[in-house]
Amino acid sequence: MENRQKENRIITDGLSYRYPEAERDAVSDVALRVRAGEFVCILGHNGSGKSTLAKLFNALYVPTEGTVWVCGMDTKDDELVFDIRQNAGMVFQNPDNQIVATVVEEDVAFGLENNGVPPQEIRVRIDEALAAVGMSERAKKAPHMLSGGQKQRVAIAGVLAMRPSVIILDESTAMLDPSGRAEVMNTVRRLNREEGISIVLITHFMTEAAQADMIYVMDGGKIAMTGTPREVFSQIGRVRALGLDVPPMTALAETLGKAGLPVRPDVLTVEEMVEEVCRLQSKG
Amino acid sequence: MLNDITLGQYYPGNSPVHRMDPRCKLLLTVAYIVGVFLIGNLPGYLLALAFLWLVVRVSGIRFSYLLRGLKPLRFILVFTFILNVAFTQGQTVLFAVGFFRLTREALENAIYFSLRLVFLVMGTSVLTLTTSPVQLTDALEHLMHPLARFGFPAHELAMMMTIALRFIPTLLEEADKIQKAQMARGADFESGNLMARARAMIPLLVPLFVSSFRRANDLAMAMEARCYRGGEHRTRLRELRYTRLDFYALLCMIAFFVLIIAEGMLLG
Ligand SMILES: Nc1ncnc2c1ncn2[C@@H]1O[C@H](COP(=O)(O)OP(=O)(O)OP(=O)(O)O)[C@@H](O)[C@H]1O
Ligand SMILES: [Mg+2]
């Protein structure tokens, strides 16, 4: 058990959650884990329970049944709540509704101030965090002067300053334009690769999902599919039945396949598609 | 329409007045206003004006900027002036038309009262022009902190002010967007009498109100996720520290008080 906890940042077991007064569980019997340094993506149509699951990871909600361990800490334990929230940082969907302070650097400081970190240490951590998301030169700016992508990077910096083990992003790119989305995704991927921070990404964009190490697809509060992006998206029929799309290149591969070209059905990215097309050309 | 509202008329700078500790600035502003209310003759107001002019010079703000702050107040000024002239009992009649008698005392009273109002506004303008809203909030939180022991919600009030300041631009932007959307559908915000215009605001305010609740909900969740747990054990990135500058400012204020008291005793 001890060992399991060390290499896993989040473990859930038989996890269920029902909103007060609700008829049925919003999250039901979920067992999953997020390993150290892993990039996990959670997919699912609207109302499938993704946001509820995310809030269970951060001890914003406490399980109705089952358990969530964050870095070995049970979220049911009241005394550990703030340690859990420091370890499992959350970035939400609407960039305007999660920035608290009127100055960028002060917003980044918010979590640290809450945790009683001494001012000199806060200073150091803010500078680090803003540098890590590439927002150092905007430290003194007012948040409402920033673009959506920049606001989300500030929100990520605010979480990063807490030195989390895992960052949970709940549709954090949903309200951004394509360039803002790219900014945020690049930042997230870099933090994952370079700093070894585990990522839980909730998204409706399949191109983003294709970059994950592991995908969990939710349906009606349950986990309906699990696997690497290739494993999941190669089952096009099942994915569609769960109300989701497949990445554009996978869809293209399918179309080409139907047209009679022997393209691999599990193509995920543009690069892979280019490779595949070149392979076919050299053959024929 | 909504873009005209300039909020927190902060005038960024690096003057000694700007660099003073906001707590000190706030307290000295209060002292200045108390001083102005103690004054009872015209030379005293000249002193007050001279002091203000000096502070404004040091702060690097243009005096006209300060005067502009009086403009929205002109109706109130005229109103208080007339009210004072009309309702002060006096002996020395200057002139009389029918029922109306203008007395010397009434005129003096009206002038002093208006002057006090003018200095009150200009004095606080110097404070808000040289202190960012964030600093002001900090100052208020620190100054109110001792009251927290008696259950006064000092931290909560400061937090509310910060959040209000943070969300005002967001909400203005949103109001603007909703207004444009309604106008595109034929809503008319500009014409008609006051009632009609007020009624036209309803389709603007209702969605704004609804979305504010949503925002409040989201923000509460985000704050909780970032370990917010009220004011206890909370540290601050920016610590307030009194410097020599504040000491000098205090000396200036004491000098001002000595002068107006001496002047009051000499000239009665
Ligand atoms: N505060 C709440 N009170 C009661 N029921 C809720 C609440 N929030 C969500 N639900 C219900 O719980 C279920 C899961 O909602 P959740 O927000 O987790 O879905 P989601 O997968 O995040 O959806 P989306 O893709 O739209 O964000 C839904 O049926 C929803 O109606
Ligand atoms: Mg959701």
Side-chain angles (χ1 to χ4, degrees):
Chain A
M1 193 68 198
E2 278 305 301
N3 241 341
R4 246 184 93 197
Q5 299 293 13
K6 207 170 272 167
E7 65 193 68
N8 292 294
R9 298 283 164 83
I10 298 176
I11 304 178
T12 74
D13 186 26
L15 172 63
S16 297
Y17 182 80
R18 181 176 301 204
Y19 285 97
E21 330 255 299
E23 302 269 291
R24 44 186 287 277
D25 290 348
V27 165
S28 154
D29 198 21
V30 166
L32 58 71
R33 61 177 169 179
V34 180
R35 296 186 183 85
E38 193 175 27
F39 188 147
V40 168
C41 180
I42 298 177
L43 298 176
H45 58 79
N46 293 116
S48 57
K50 307 179 296 292
S51 296
T52 311
L53 186 62
K55 285 167 189 164
L56 284 159
F57 289 164
N58 188 266
L60 285 169
Y61 296 156
V62 176
T64 321
E65 263 170 71
T67 320
V68 180
W69 288 278
V70 175
C71 299
M73 297 178 280
D74 187 339
T75 61
K76 276 203 213 72
D77 191 338
D78 281 340
E79 313 223 317
L80 297 174
V81 166
F82 297 110
D83 289 323
I84 289 168
R85 291 189 183 153
Q86 178 256 311
N87 267 296
M90 281 273 267
V91 181
F92 295 88
Q93 180 175 30
N94 191 330
D96 279 321
N97 298 357
Q98 56 186 318
I99 293 180
V100 186
T102 44
V103 181
V104 165
E105 62 174 15
E106 262 174 61
D107 188 73
V108 177
F110 182 73
L112 300 171
E113 292 178 333
N114 289 335
N115 280 348
V117 176
Q120 309 87 306
E121 170 77 8
I122 295 184
R123 183 79 258 166
V124 174
R125 295 231 219 147
I126 295 177
D127 293 345
E128 261 175 35
L130 281 174
V133 301
M135 289 290 290
S136 299
E137 70 282 23
R138 317 258 159 174
K140 310 272 183 202
K141 284 269 182 314
H144 68 95
M145 309 293 276
L146 305 178
S147 73
Q150 289 173 331
K151 282 181 208 168
Q152 288 301 54
R153 274 149 68 200
V154 170
I156 293 174
V159 164
L160 202 58
M162 312 265 276
R163 306 227 166 113
S165 315
V166 43
I167 299 180
I168 302 148
L169 299 110
D170 188 357
E171 295 190 41
S172 303
T173 58
M175 297 180 76
L176 307 180
D177 58 13
S179 71
R181 232 161 37 225
E183 273 172 43
V184 171
M185 280 310 292
N186 289 339
T187 307
V188 167
R189 268 210 316 267
R190 217 192 42 249
L191 292 176
N192 177 239
R193 289 215 192 105
E194 291 172 16
E195 319 261 332
I197 298 171
S198 304
I199 303 289
V200 176
L201 180 78
I202 297 174
T203 185
H204 285 292
F205 294 104
M206 299 306 144
T207 23
E208 291 174 8
Q211 303 168 2
D213 298 322
M214 194 70 171
I215 292 180
Y216 292 93
V217 183
M218 292 192 71
D219 183 42
K222 288 188 160 45
I223 293 197
M225 284 175 88
T226 314
T228 61
R230 208 175 298 286
E231 286 162 5
V232 169
F233 289 127
S234 58
Q235 306 174 53
I236 295 183
R238 262 187 89 192
V239 172
R240 294 227 170 101
L242 291 169
L244 299 173
D245 266 334
V246 292
M249 285 307 132
T250 316
L252 179 60
E254 186 201 18
T255 316
L256 292 176
K258 274 189 187 148
L261 285 170
V263 182
R264 254 171 50 205
D266 60 354
V267 176
L268 289 175
T269 62
V270 177
E271 289 76 33
E272 287 177 19
M273 183 52 100
V274 170
E275 224 171 82
E276 194 63 10
V277 170
C278 291
R279 189 181 60 85
L280 286 179
Q281 223 169 15
S282 64
K283 255 198 194 165
Chain B
M1 170 193 71
L2 292 157
N3 299 326
D4 300 342
I5 307 168
T6 46
L7 236 141
Q9 29 164 357
Y10 178 52
Y11 188 97
N14 199 27
S15 74
V17 183
H18 283 88
R19 278 180 283 132
M20 270 173 71
D21 186 293
R23 286 170 296 179
C24 182
K25 234 187 293 187
L26 189 71
L27 290 176
L28 291 187
T29 305
V30 173
Y32 177 75
I33 289 165
V34 169
V36 164
F37 272 74
L38 290 177
I39 295 172
N41 56 28
L42 281 177
Y45 285 105
L46 280 180
L47 271 176
L49 185 66
F51 185 80
L52 194 69
W53 185 81
L54 205 79
V55 175
V56 170
R57 267 313 285 271
V58 173
S59 72
I61 302 169
R62 262 176 289 136
F63 209 85
S64 62
Y65 221 85
L66 216 57
L67 292 177
R68 208 183 303 164
L70 288 173
K71 221 168 124 194
L73 240 78
R74 56 194 188 274
F75 294 115
I76 297 177
L77 274 174
V78 171
F79 189 66
T80 45
F81 189 86
I82 292 172
L83 221 60
N84 269 291
V85 166
F87 290 105
T88 315
Q89 306 292 330
Q91 309 300 319
T92 4
V93 179
L94 292 177
F95 74 86
V97 192
F99 280 113
F100 181 75
R101 297 184 314 152
L102 177 68
T103 63
R104 194 191 151 79
E105 287 80 1
L107 192 63
E108 270 181 5
N109 216 352
I111 291 175
Y112 292 161
F113 216 89
S114 309
L115 277 176
R116 278 176 196 154
L117 217 57
V118 167
F119 279 105
L120 176 92
V121 172
M122 292 207 292
T124 39
S125 296
V126 172
L127 177 70
T128 52
L129 283 169
T130 60
T131 319
S132 74
V134 179
Q135 281 181 308
L136 263 183
T137 314
D138 272 4
L140 278 173
E141 181 173 6
H142 278 88
L143 289 172
M144 292 186 304
H145 187 73
L147 296 175
R149 208 173 310 150
F150 309 109
F152 185 79
H155 164 77
E156 286 75 7
L157 276 178
M159 196 73 212
M160 272 164 59
M161 275 175 64
T162 307
I163 291 173
L165 284 171
R166 150 75 185 82
F167 274 91
I168 283 165
T170 309
L171 290 179
L172 283 180
E173 213 170 278
E174 184 169 16
D176 209 43
K177 221 181 279 170
I178 298 172
Q179 192 182 23
K180 286 200 179 112
Q182 307 279 31
M183 268 153 80
R185 289 183 217 157
D188 181 5
F189 291 98
E190 247 101 75
S191 59
N193 59 14
L194 203 64
M195 265 315 277
R197 273 200 267 173
R199 203 166 314 125
M201 293 299 275
I202 294 175
L204 180 86
L205 292 178
V206 170
L208 199 61
F209 206 65
V210 171
S211 99
S212 315
F213 272 99
R214 215 201 128 72
R215 285 182 194 281
N217 212 351
D218 282 4
L219 185 71
M221 194 61 93
M223 285 170 69
E224 230 182 297
R226 290 171 71 186
C227 301
Y228 183 67
R229 56 190 112 162
E232 265 172 82
H233 310 298
R234 205 159 183 270
T235 48
R236 299 307 307 269
L237 164 65
R238 268 173 303 98
E239 287 171 300
L240 296 179
R241 217 173 270 122
Y242 292 113
T243 61
R244 197 172 296 175
L245 219 54
D246 301 296
F247 180 63
Y248 294 152
L250 180 65
L251 287 184
C252 290
M253 189 53 75
I254 291 173
F256 173 64
F257 264 77
V258 168
L259 275 175
I260 57 168
I261 289 170
E263 182 270 342
M265 289 204 293
L266 280 176
L267 302 175

